[in-house]
Amino acid sequence: LALIRAIRTRASRSALRTKETAGLHLGIGDDCALLRVRSSEEIAVTTDLSIAGRHFHFDWHPPEAVGHRTLARGLSDLAAMGARPVAAFLSVGLPQELMLKAKKGATWFERYLDGFFDLAKSTGTPLAGGDLAQSPLFAADIVLFGAVRRGRALLRSGARPGHLLYVTGSLGGSAAGLIRLAAWAKENRSKFGHAKESKKKGAEAFASVRIPKKLAADLAPHLTPQPRLTVGQVLSRPGLASAAIDISDGLSSDLAHICEESRVAAEIDAALLPLHNAATLEQALHGGEDYELLFTAPPNVRVPRTIAGIPITRIGRILPLRAGRPTITLLTPQGQQPLQPSGWQHFA
Ligand SMILES: [Mg+2]
């Protein structure tokens, strides 16, 4: 009960100003939350699971990053549809040791909430409810409600042959960061280790992952990806994007989703891809969790070079689907080759 009270206080503090304008009429405290969006809008809903060992590792990821990523994954789906966030609902299965205080400072779960609420605040996403239960495994289920102008949501199915293909920001930074993170965790295993391997007691083992300052910039694309909410809302204005998706599984996989839903083929030019400065071409093509937006626009549309300060890069075009031709073709200096969708194997 004390924990729920603490979360409620933080929820109301972090979203005091944004609550009403976002469309959350009644937040935590009643049997249900009440949402009021404009009559010109429709509601976008998305859910995501974050499970320990599957979506993050206790001995790799600082708890703040786990909290940030829980919310970022859902917000990125809203961004892909052109929706603005209205309210978040967070349900957590929580092992007892994550609520134990480490010698210095906060519990793992308090630090998880720090990361969650930092992003909630910066994106104007009020936490409107959820559930909490003791569990042998940490699992967080996030449900996000967004609002989008009626009939204006960006779908995966709107790409047509001749449309051009664009991406926001840079690609591969998250995959490159994950490899750095894994290497760093291996080097430092003796310092904190996984709870099972650690000689330290539970609370210390779980709460002690802190990323050194010199690594922070390299790991940021992986640990604290920024959902492209403003870009998505701009792209959903009439006469801009024709289809969109967020890059959660990797460019090759997410482009395949657009092709499948739009019944088209696509061609991307390796030389045009905006590689993150630490990333390889392979990571840019198949590395997931960049949470950039991949979108299409008709060729006559003037797509801005930046939207809300985020660079926009043209990377290819949409082609008609033809029997015997690959769905996605990659153009390289050595010629063209079929590109198989192969998402990043998270912890392989
Ligand atoms: Mg998505």
Side-chain angles (χ1 to χ4, degrees), residues 3-4 6 13 22 73 78 89 114 122 128 132 137-138 141 156 159-160 170 206 237-238 240 242 261 265 270 274 308:
L3 184 54
I4 289 171
R13 227 189 300 143
R73 291 171 65 197
L78 292 186
F89 298 81
D114 287 344
S122 68
L132 206 54
L137 175 80
F138 177 90
D141 173 42
R156 297 175 178 183
R160 298 291 172 263
S170 63
F206 276 113
R237 288 178 192 159
L240 253 171
S242 50
E261 295 302 320

Side-chain angles (χ1 to χ4, degrees), residues 248-325:
S248 53
D249 297 339
L251 175 62
S252 60
S253 299
D254 292 314
L255 178 54
H257 292 316
I258 286 192
C259 289
E260 193 183 334
E261 295 302 320
S262 298
R263 295 167 202 274
V264 293
E267 166 188 279
I268 51 182
D269 188 338
L272 296 178
L273 292 179
L275 264 58
H276 184 273
N277 55 27
T280 63
L281 176 63
E282 204 66 14
Q283 289 167 336
L285 289 171
H286 307 298
E289 300 191 310
D290 281 320
Y291 298 111
E292 298 293 351
L293 298 183
L294 173 68
F295 66 95
T296 61
N300 59 330
V301 167
R302 267 197 62 215
V303 174
R305 278 161 187 248
T306 64
I307 299 176
I310 308 301
I312 309 292
T313 310
R314 184 176 59 79
I315 60 166
R317 63 192 174 120
I318 298 296
L319 302 169
L321 196 58
R322 293 235 170 87
R325 204 170 61 179

